Amino acid sequence: MEDKYISAAVINRLPRYYRYLGDMITQGIERVSSYELSERMRVTASQIRQDFNNFGGFGQQGYGYNVKYLHDEIGKILGLNVKHNLIIIGAGNIGKAIANYQGFESRGFHFRCFFDCNPDLCNTKAVGLDVHPMEELPEYLRNNKIDIAVLTVPRAAAQKTAEIVIENGVKGIWNFAHYDLKVPADVKVQNVHLSDSIMRLSYELKNTHN
Amino acid sequence: MEDKYISAAVINRLPRYYRYLGDMITQGIERVSSYELSERMRVTASQIRQDFNNFGGFGQQGYGYNVKYLHDEIGKILGLNVKHNLIIIGAGNIGKAIANYQGFESRGFHFRCFFDCNPDLCNTKAVGLDVHPMEELPEYLRNNKIDIAVLTVPRAAAQKTAEIVIENGVKGIWNFAHYDLKVPADVKVQNVHLSDSIMRLSYELKNTHN
């Protein structure tokens, strides 16, 4: 069913459903109606039903959805049943924070090592992972199947670094550099542009105080 | 003109305009047409004109926009001409990465100090800023005008921490905890949910490989 066109807005909401359903599993909740889920998530029940109908509806029967089934199905849609191998380029604070983040490993995101151009960091460990010199990146990628490169390099180095990983077969880039990468159509990029986020907050505060 | 209703989609695009215009100033570009800007930003020129018309159009005359003027006006709309005082709650890797991030200070985001509940970190320095114990947070907020609290605490502590800062007058929360905070209407929250972002990347990769 993944072949039919699903809007980006629906896809963008899936991780949030997944997160709430995971919390409900932790809380021992076995079934949930779209109304209850809508109360928790502060979206309308009709939105939830519409979103889920994109994927066949997830078999709501009698009293609502089976939480575990729904969680697992959304996980599969998100590709979380597949193991992803990742490298982090840039062993600074953001890179270390990501490698340390709770819950990535259990969702199949497996961080293999860091790369960094700082000779003081190379051949040391960062949060338990090896830090390799940047010069070794192309050879490493040829010898290891890496699905996602996490870019936490300065923005001036971002495009060049992206090109190296793409040339060596990486199809996914999680980009923390504050730069919109130019990549071929078969390469997928997700950006985390922190300044854009704080500027939106600044806008909202300004318009509250007016 | 900020009083009229502007859609969230337009607001979400403003930081990106601001970023591209800032780059053009660095490159010495003085004027730009909506067509040229659209080529750089990979959006349509008509989209750009529509967006800018929300703010009176920014006086495009003859050959395009004055880059510096446009940059400054968008900066003002985003509230970047106002100085914001921030504290960071949680002196871990993400907190340190944010305090260290280039370019926040020049846009008026002034990081004052950290708070952390780890006794080993308290009363030390992190990336040049003082780390205070959490117990001192309410008193600190009563004695200092803080506009934005950056939350980089574990998700289990997020709501409680948000309530403390809100009770003590903070109106803006930049939330890195993987939890959707419940806050009063006059408090503005911007979330950076890293797992949601990597799950979207996982989805896109899965649907590429199919």
Side-chain angles (χ1 to χ4, degrees):
Chain A
M1 55 192 163
E2 285 84 353
D3 288 325
K4 77 177 259 223
Y5 174 75
I6 315 269
S7 80
V10 174
I11 301 310
N12 285 342
R13 286 193 287 269
L14 289 183
R16 192 161 175 263
Y17 287 120
Y18 186 79
R19 178 152 50 91
Y20 275 80
L21 292 162
D23 285 349
M24 292 167 75
I25 292 173
T26 307
Q27 292 160 19
I29 298 168
E30 291 180 5
R31 295 195 75 83
V32 66
S33 67
S34 52
Y35 174 74
E36 285 166 330
L37 193 54
S38 82
E39 290 278 294
R40 282 176 176 260
M41 296 186 61
R42 303 187 174 199
V43 295
T44 66
S46 122
Q47 163 97 82
I48 291 175
R49 285 189 298 267
Q50 274 178 41
D51 283 351
F52 290 179
N53 280 339
N54 283 289
F55 306 100
F58 300 120
Q60 183 181 26
Q61 285 171 350
Y63 175 60
Y65 303 97
N66 178 311
V67 173
K68 178 79 171 62
Y69 173 78
L70 188 52
H71 180 261
D72 290 353
E73 288 301 304
I74 292 177
K76 281 184 216 162
I77 292 166
L78 288 169
L80 303 180
N81 54 331
V82 177
K83 184 176 159 183
H84 293 92
N85 285 304
L86 295 88
I87 56 166
I88 302 178
I89 306 180
N93 286 314
I94 293 190
K96 285 187 283 186
I98 293 162
N100 238 353
Y101 208 81
Q102 299 301 310
F104 283 161
E105 198 76 33
S106 64
R107 286 167 191 160
F109 298 102
H110 180 53
F111 294 100
R112 299 284 298 274
C113 59
F114 286 96
F115 287 85
D116 203 288
C117 61
N118 180 345
D120 293 341
L121 295 179
C122 293
N123 304 312
T124 66
K125 294 248 182 196
V127 293
L129 299 176
D130 290 331
V131 183
H132 299 300
M134 275 298 282
E135 300 81 64
E136 296 179 9
L137 179 58
E139 192 186 344
Y140 179 90
L141 292 173
R142 286 192 294 272
N143 295 329
N144 295 274
K145 169 87 182 67
I146 296 299
D147 306 290
I148 297 173
V150 185
L151 259 54
T152 69
V153 298
R155 68 190 305 245
Q159 182 64 33
K160 180 76 197 306
T161 309
E163 285 166 13
I164 294 171
V165 301
I166 292 166
E167 277 163 20
N168 290 286
V170 174
K171 297 291 184 202
I173 296 180
W174 199 20
N175 177 38
F176 288 74
H178 202 214
Y179 183 83
D180 295 330
L181 301 169
K182 289 155 205 75
V183 302
D186 66 334
V187 174
K188 302 302 169 188
V189 178
Q190 273 284 327
N191 294 305
V192 180
H193 287 335
L194 294 180
S195 327
D196 288 13
S197 171
I198 201 169
M199 287 187 213
R200 285 193 289 268
L201 183 55
S202 167
Y203 172 86
E204 291 185 16
L205 287 173
K206 172 170 170 275
N207 287 277
T208 305
H209 295 325
N210 273 355
Chain B
M1 55 191 163
E2 286 84 351
D3 288 326
K4 77 180 259 221
Y5 174 76
I6 315 271
S7 80
V10 174
I11 301 309
N12 285 341
R13 286 193 287 269
L14 289 183
R16 192 160 177 263
Y17 287 120
Y18 185 80
R19 176 151 51 92
Y20 275 80
L21 291 162
D23 284 350
M24 292 167 74
I25 292 173
T26 307
Q27 293 160 19
I29 298 169
E30 292 180 5
R31 295 195 76 82
V32 66
S33 67
S34 52
Y35 174 74
E36 285 167 329
L37 193 55
S38 83
E39 291 278 295
R40 282 176 175 259
M41 296 187 61
R42 304 188 173 198
V43 295
T44 65
S46 121
Q47 163 96 83
I48 290 175
R49 285 189 299 264
Q50 275 178 41
D51 284 351
F52 290 179
N53 280 340
N54 283 289
F55 306 99
F58 300 119
Q60 182 182 29
Q61 286 173 348
Y63 175 61
Y65 303 97
N66 178 313
V67 173
K68 178 78 170 61
Y69 173 78
L70 188 52
H71 180 260
D72 289 353
E73 288 300 306
I74 292 177
K76 280 185 219 164
I77 292 166
L78 289 168
L80 304 180
N81 55 330
V82 177
K83 182 176 160 184
H84 293 91
N85 284 305
L86 296 88
I87 56 165
I88 303 178
I89 306 180
N93 285 314
I94 292 191
K96 286 188 281 187
I98 292 162
N100 237 353
Y101 207 82
Q102 299 300 311
F104 284 161
E105 199 74 34
S106 64
R107 285 168 192 160
F109 299 102
H110 180 51
F111 294 101
R112 299 283 299 272
C113 59
F114 287 96
F115 287 86
D116 202 288
C117 60
N118 181 345
D120 293 342
L121 295 178
C122 292
N123 304 311
T124 66
K125 295 248 182 195
V127 294
L129 298 176
D130 289 331
V131 183
H132 298 300
M134 275 299 280
E135 301 81 62
E136 295 178 8
L137 178 59
E139 192 187 343
Y140 179 91
L141 291 174
R142 286 193 294 271
N143 295 329
N144 295 273
K145 169 88 181 67
I146 297 299
D147 307 290
I148 297 172
V150 186
L151 259 54
T152 69
V153 298
R155 69 190 304 246
Q159 182 64 35
K160 181 75 199 308
T161 309
E163 285 165 14
I164 294 170
V165 302
I166 292 165
E167 278 164 19
N168 290 286
V170 175
K171 297 291 183 202
I173 296 180
W174 199 21
N175 177 37
F176 288 74
H178 202 215
Y179 184 82
D180 295 331
L181 302 169
K182 289 156 205 78
V183 302
D186 66 334
V187 173
K188 302 301 169 187
V189 178
Q190 274 284 328
N191 294 305
V192 180
H193 287 336
L194 294 180
S195 330
D196 288 13
S197 170
I198 201 170
M199 287 188 211
R200 285 193 289 269
L201 183 55
S202 166
Y203 172 85
E204 290 186 17
L205 288 172
K206 172 170 170 274
N207 288 278
T208 305
H209 295 326
N210 275 354

